């Protein structure tokens, strides 16, 4: 029987480095199937403001960082 790993997170401006006041919020889930190596990510966001295309590193204004809490690690996934 395949084992799966489930992770979830709440997204908010308080998690930004430095923390940001924003109406944006969200929720994400990640399901990793250890048998197949398949990762399924669901990302729900609302309240985004400002520019939404072509202005961030690599042309991706929305992205996911890889880093410890409180640290802006490198961009791992452009959205």
């Amino acid at each position: 029987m395949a084992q799966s790993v489930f992770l979830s997170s709440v997204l908010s401006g308080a998690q930004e480095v430095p923390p940001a006041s924003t109406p944006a919020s969200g929720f994400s889930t990640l399901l990793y199937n250890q048998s197949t190596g398949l990762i399924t990510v669901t990302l729900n966001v609302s309240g985004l403001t400002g520019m939404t295309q072509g202005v961030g590193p690599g042309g991706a204004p929305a992205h996911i960082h890889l880093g410890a809490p409180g640290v802006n690690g490198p961009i791992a996934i452009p959205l």
Side-chain angles (χ1 to χ4, degrees):
M1 184 188 235
Q3 276 195 326
S4 294
V5 176
F6 178 80
L7 302 170
S8 65
S9 65
V10 174
L11 310 173
S12 71
Q15 296 169 326
E16 294 285 328
V17 179
S21 176
T22 176
S25 63
F27 184 80
S28 68
T29 61
L30 180 144
L31 181 64
Y32 172 59
N33 183 314
Q34 293 176 323
S35 176
T36 64
L38 182 66
I39 298 173
T40 303
V41 177
T42 303
L43 178 64
N44 294 292
V45 296
S46 64
L48 297 177
T49 61
M51 299 190 76
T52 59
Q53 57 182 313
V55 294
H63 49 265
I64 297 172
H65 290 265
L66 179 61
V71 176
N72 261 341
I75 294 173
I77 303 171
L79 301 174

